[in-house]
Amino acid sequence: MAVTACQGLGFVVSLIGIAGIIAATCMDQWSTQDLYNNPVTAVFNYQGLWRSCVRESSGFTECRGYFTLLGLPAMLQAVRALMIVGIVLGAISLLVSIFALKCIRIGSMEDAAKANMTLTSGIMFIISGLCAIVGVSVFANMLVTNFWMSTANMYTGMGGMVQTVQTRYTFGSALFVGWVAGGLTLIGGVMMCIACRGLAPEETNYKAVSYHASGHNVAYKPGGFKASTAFGPNSRNKKIYDGGARTEDEVQSHPSKYDYV
C-alpha cells in the first residue's frame, strides 16, 4: 500500500511539475522592466522566450515575436533548447509512468517490468526537472549580468548623477514558475525511483532436498515395514524381483498372468 501511494503521489507531483514547465515556457514575463528609478511610466516592457510585449497605461498591449533565429543571443537559444528538452522528456516520462502504475493492470505485465518502467520514468523526470531549473537559472544569470552592466552605465560621472536613462530588466513571474515547476518534477522523479524498490520482486532462495532410492539388496515383507538385507542366512536361495519389492517365493506363490500363456 505504501509503495502504491508513493508511486501515485510521485506521478501527481511530476504531472503538476511538467504542466508548470510548459506554462513557464509559454509565458511572456521572463523579464520585466525595472521601475525602481521611474515608477511612473506610460509604457511597461516585458519579454519572454518567444516575443517581447509593450503595455501602455491605457491598457493596450502589443506583442511582437522574434522573427529571427541567428540574431538572437546564444544564451537565449540555449534556454529555449533546455526548456524544450525538459518538456519532451517530461511528456515521455508521463506516458511511461501511466503504464507503470501498480493500480493499472495491463495484460499479463509482471511486477519486474513495472519496476523497470517506474525507474525509467523517475530518471527521466529528474532529468526533465534539472533541464528546467538549469534553463531558468541561466536566464536569471543573464538578467543579473545585464542589470548590473546597465546600472554601471547609468551611474557615471561625478557624484553618481544619472547621465543616461536605460531600460533595465529584472526577474519576471515566469522565472519563479519555472523554478517551482522544475523542483516539483525533480521531487516527483525521486519518489518514483524510491517506489521502484518496493515494486521489484524479492529473490527467494529455495533449499534443495535430495531423495535417495532404496538399494536393490533390500526386500520388503508384506507383513510390515521391517526390511531384511541380502546377507542373512536364508537369503542365499532367494532372488530379488521388482527392485527388491518381492522375493522368489512370493513370485511363485502369486503367479502372474503371463504364466498362463
Side-chain angles (χ1 to χ4, degrees):
M1 185 64 182
V3 175
T4 305
C6 182
Q7 186 186 33
L9 184 60
F11 174 77
V12 173
V13 172
S14 301
L15 179 61
I16 297 174
I18 296 300
I21 294 175
I22 296 175
T25 306
C26 299
M27 290 176 65
D28 295 327
Q29 294 185 352
W30 279 69
S31 60
T32 58
Q33 183 179 355
D34 182 37
L35 303 178
Y36 177 75
N37 292 323
N38 189 16
V40 180
T41 180
V43 293
F44 178 73
N45 300 320
Y46 55 92
Q47 298 176 351
L49 295 179
W50 313 102
R51 61 182 183 175
S52 61
C53 301
V54 177
R55 186 176 64 209
E56 298 179 358
S57 57
S58 60
F60 178 76
T61 302
E62 181 181 1
C63 296
R64 184 177 181 181
Y66 303 137
F67 298 107
T68 179
L69 183 62
L70 299 178
L72 295 175
M75 299 299 292
L76 180 61
Q77 296 182 10
V79 172
R80 280 181 173 184
L82 286 172
M83 300 303 292
I84 292 175
V85 169
I87 292 174
V88 172
L89 288 178
I92 298 175
S93 303
L94 287 176
L95 183 61
V96 174
S97 60
I98 289 175
F99 294 101
L101 291 176
K102 191 175 182 180
C103 57
I104 299 178
R105 180 65 63 179
I106 302 176
S108 59
M109 185 179 296
E110 299 179 355
D111 291 339
K114 284 184 173 290
N116 294 331
M117 294 175 66
T118 303
L119 180 61
T120 302
S121 61
I123 294 175
M124 295 177 69
F125 277 135
I126 292 175
I127 298 176
S128 175
L130 290 176
C131 288
I133 293 175
V134 171
V136 175
S137 300
V138 168
F139 193 90
N141 180 66
M142 184 173 58
L143 283 180
V144 171
T145 304
N146 294 335
F147 182 87
W148 290 114
M149 289 180 63
S150 300
T151 303
N153 293 330
M154 289 173 59
Y155 291 94
T156 56
M158 183 175 291
M161 297 180 61
V162 178
Q163 299 292 330
T164 58
V165 178
Q166 295 183 357
T167 302
R168 297 183 303 178
Y169 291 92
T170 183
F171 294 168
S173 57
L175 296 181
F176 302 101
V177 174
W179 274 319
V180 174
L184 290 177
T185 308
L186 183 63
I187 294 174
V190 172
M191 295 180 67
M192 294 290 284
C193 292
I194 294 175
C196 168
R197 299 186 59 184
L199 292 175
E202 298 180 357
E203 296 182 358
T204 306
N205 296 325
Y206 297 95
K207 294 183 179 180
V209 180
S210 59
Y211 296 92
H212 300 280
S214 58
H216 294 284
N217 57 346
V218 179
Y220 297 94
K221 294 182 179 181
F225 297 97
K226 184 177 181 181
S228 61
T229 61
F231 299 98
N234 298 325
S235 60
R236 291 184 178 180
N237 298 327
K238 293 182 179 181
K239 296 182 179 179
I240 307 302
Y241 292 88
D242 297 335
R246 293 187 299 173
T247 61
E248 183 179 5
D249 296 336
E250 294 175 356
V251 172
Q252 294 177 359
S253 60
H254 299 283
S256 66
K257 61 180 180 179
Y258 299 104
D259 296 335
Y260 300 98
V261 178

